[in-house]
Amino acid sequence: MTPEEITAYALAKPGAVEDRPWEGDLVAKVGDKIFVFLGGEGIGVKCGRTSDEAAELRERFPGAVTVSPYIGRYGWNVVSLDGTVPDDELLELVDESYDAVVSRLPKARRPG
């Protein structure tokens, strides 16, 4: 997948909005919470509830999936868009990250 395709996919999620909270960084948010870091040659996604669960993906795709700087201990990984991780799995990672963030939102702020 290209960065443009993954961005379009993420922003098509219910309630998803584009934001640039830091100069040069594009993210997709739902209910004011980031669910995917976009842009560049990779994406940042929440991969499980813990850093141990996120490590499983890094073990499956060494080099293409790395721990996310600063927030990796919370289960975030950076996933390369170089073709190593299959497209369907990339989409699933975005779906799971979105679902994890939405599940923690107060019910009144969840997309309908």
Side-chain angles (χ1 to χ4, degrees):
M1 294 196 87
T2 67
E4 294 79 20
E5 290 170 324
I6 203 81
T7 297
Y9 182 80
L11 294 175
K13 298 285 209 191
V17 294
E18 178 180 315
D19 192 16
R20 295 181 188 272
W22 306 281
E23 186 175 332
D25 287 332
L26 176 65
V27 302
K29 289 183 169 182
V30 61
D32 85 343
K33 299 291 184 187
I34 296 170
F35 71 93
V36 64
F37 291 85
L38 300 160
E41 299 302 312
I43 59 171
V45 288
K46 175 86 168 129
C47 298
R49 292 166 284 167
T50 67
S51 59
D52 289 339
E53 290 179 15
E56 291 176 22
L57 190 65
R58 293 191 303 271
E59 290 170 8
R60 287 183 44 222
F61 299 104
V65 179
T66 58
V67 67
S68 184
Y70 310 110
I71 57 175
R73 66 181 175 264
Y74 302 110
W76 287 81
N77 282 331
V78 175
V79 182
S80 174
L81 298 178
D82 67 358
T84 302
V85 179
D87 289 353
D88 61 335
E89 191 146 4
L90 286 170
L91 298 179
E92 187 176 316
L93 289 169
V94 172
D95 292 345
E96 289 173 1
S97 188
Y98 173 85
D99 292 344
V101 170
V102 168
S103 72
R104 291 190 315 268
L105 291 174
K107 289 188 181 192
R109 292 185 33 222
R110 293 180 188 171

